[in-house]
C-alpha cells in the first residue's frame, strides 16, 4: 500500500471530471487500498480519486471511529434525493483548515459498485449523505468551496496560494 499525494485547492486538476471505471480489476482494488490508507493517514472521512490526481469514479468513505466501516463506491450515482435540505459544516482534505456551512439534500439514494465490481444500492442520511454528495462532487470536478459566496471563494484561494508559496520556500 502507498500514501498518495492529495491535490490542494485551487489546483486545476481538482476540476477535472472523472471517467467511469470500465473494469473493477486488481489495479482499481489497489487504488482503493491506497486511497483508504491515504484517507486514514490524513486523517479524513472521505476521499475521491480526483483528489489524488486519478480521474476515475472511485470514492472511499469511513465514518467509524475505529476504521472498521470502509465504504467503497465505484461509479457512484445518486438515484434520488430528499426534498428536505440540511446545512452541515464541511471541510475537505484538498482545502486544509477551511470549514464552512453547505446546504444539501438531507438524504440520498445511491447506487455504486463495490470493490468486487458488484452493484449495490443504499439509502444515506445525516453525515453519510453529506459525505457521499461531497465526494461525488469531487468526481464531477466540483470542490465544496464553490457552494460559498464569491467573496469567501476569493479569500480561500488567496490564502491557499499564499500557503503554497510559503511551503515552496521552506
Amino acid at each position: 500500500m502507498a500514501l498518495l499525494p492529495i491535490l490542494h485547492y485551487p489546483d486545476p486538476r481538482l476540476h477535472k471530471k472523472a471517467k467511469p471505471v470500465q473494469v473493477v480489476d486488481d489495479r482499481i482494488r489497489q487504488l482503493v487500498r491506497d486511497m483508504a490508507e491515504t484517507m486514514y493517514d490524513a486523517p479524513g472521512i472521505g476521499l475521491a480519486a480526483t483528489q489524488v490526481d486519478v480521474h476515475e469514479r472511485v470514492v472511499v468513505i469511513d465514518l467509524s471511529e475505529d476504521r472498521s466501516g470502509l465504504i467503497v463506491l465505484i461509479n457512484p450515482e445518486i438515484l434520488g434525493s430528499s426534498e428536505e435540505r440540511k446545512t452541515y459544516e464541511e471541510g475537505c482534505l484538498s482545502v486544509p483548515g477551511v470549514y464552512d456551512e453547505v446546504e444539501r439534500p438531507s438524504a440520498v439514494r445511491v447506487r455504486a459498485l463495490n470493490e468486487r465490481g458488484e452493484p449495490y444500492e443504499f439509502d444515506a442520511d445525516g453525515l453519510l449523505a453529506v459525505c457521499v454528495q461531497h465526494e461525488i462532487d469531487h468526481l464531477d470536478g466540483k470542490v465544496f468551496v464553490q457552494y460559498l459566496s464569491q467573496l469567501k471563494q476569493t479569500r480561500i484561494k488567496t490564502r491557499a496560494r499564499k500557503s503554497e508559496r510559503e511551503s515552496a520556500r521552506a
Side-chain angles (χ1 to χ4, degrees), residues 1-4 23-38 47 49 52 54 56 58 60 70 72 74 115-116:
M1 295 209 279
L3 291 179
L4 305 171
V23 178
V24 179
D25 55 13
D26 288 341
R27 181 185 66 82
I28 294 296
R29 284 186 280 278
Q30 184 63 52
L31 174 63
V32 165
R33 287 190 296 274
D34 292 345
M35 285 175 59
E37 183 179 356
T38 301
L47 187 68
V52 293
V54 175
E56 294 182 88
V58 178
V60 294
L70 184 66
V72 175
I74 298 169
E115 63 274 14
R116 293 179 300 284

Side-chain angles (χ1 to χ4, degrees), residues 3-70:
L3 291 179
L4 305 171
I6 297 173
L7 299 177
H8 289 147
Y9 182 80
D11 192 309
R13 293 173 289 180
L14 288 168
H15 301 293
K16 192 171 176 184
K17 192 167 169 67
K19 292 180 173 31
V21 170
Q22 298 303 313
V23 178
V24 179
D25 55 13
D26 288 341
R27 181 185 66 82
I28 294 296
R29 284 186 280 278
Q30 184 63 52
L31 174 63
V32 165
R33 287 190 296 274
D34 292 345
M35 285 175 59
E37 183 179 356
T38 301
M39 174 186 69
Y40 292 136
D41 183 70
I45 59 172
L47 187 68
T50 301
Q51 294 176 270
V52 293
D53 202 19
V54 175
H55 302 282
E56 294 182 88
R57 298 187 74 80
V58 178
V59 165
V60 294
I61 295 171
D62 192 341
L63 304 180
S64 70
E65 294 287 322
D66 63 357
R67 300 179 176 183
S68 64
L70 184 66

Side-chain angles (χ1 to χ4, degrees), residues 123-144:
D123 293 311
D125 61 8
L127 183 57
L128 180 57
V130 171
C131 202
V132 166
Q133 293 172 82
H134 177 111
E135 300 308 334
I136 289 176
D137 274 354
H138 276 300
L139 299 179
D140 293 334
K142 190 168 187 176
V143 181
F144 92 97

Side-chain angles (χ1 to χ4, degrees), residues 99-163:
Y99 300 89
D100 213 316
E101 293 191 341
V102 176
E103 184 183 283
R104 298 182 183 271
S106 62
V108 291
R109 176 94 183 142
V110 182
R111 176 174 40 220
L113 301 176
N114 64 21
E115 63 274 14
R116 293 179 300 284
E118 302 161 340
Y120 71 107
E121 293 183 15
F122 64 97
D123 293 311
D125 61 8
L127 183 57
L128 180 57
V130 171
C131 202
V132 166
Q133 293 172 82
H134 177 111
E135 300 308 334
I136 289 176
D137 274 354
H138 276 300
L139 299 179
D140 293 334
K142 190 168 187 176
V143 181
F144 92 97
V145 297
Q146 292 173 261
Y147 288 98
L148 308 178
S149 71
Q150 199 59 54
L151 177 64
K152 284 184 178 182
Q153 288 183 50
T154 301
R155 285 181 179 160
I156 292 165
K157 254 185 218 168
T158 302
R159 194 175 330 141
R161 287 189 177 121
K162 181 180 176 195
S163 175

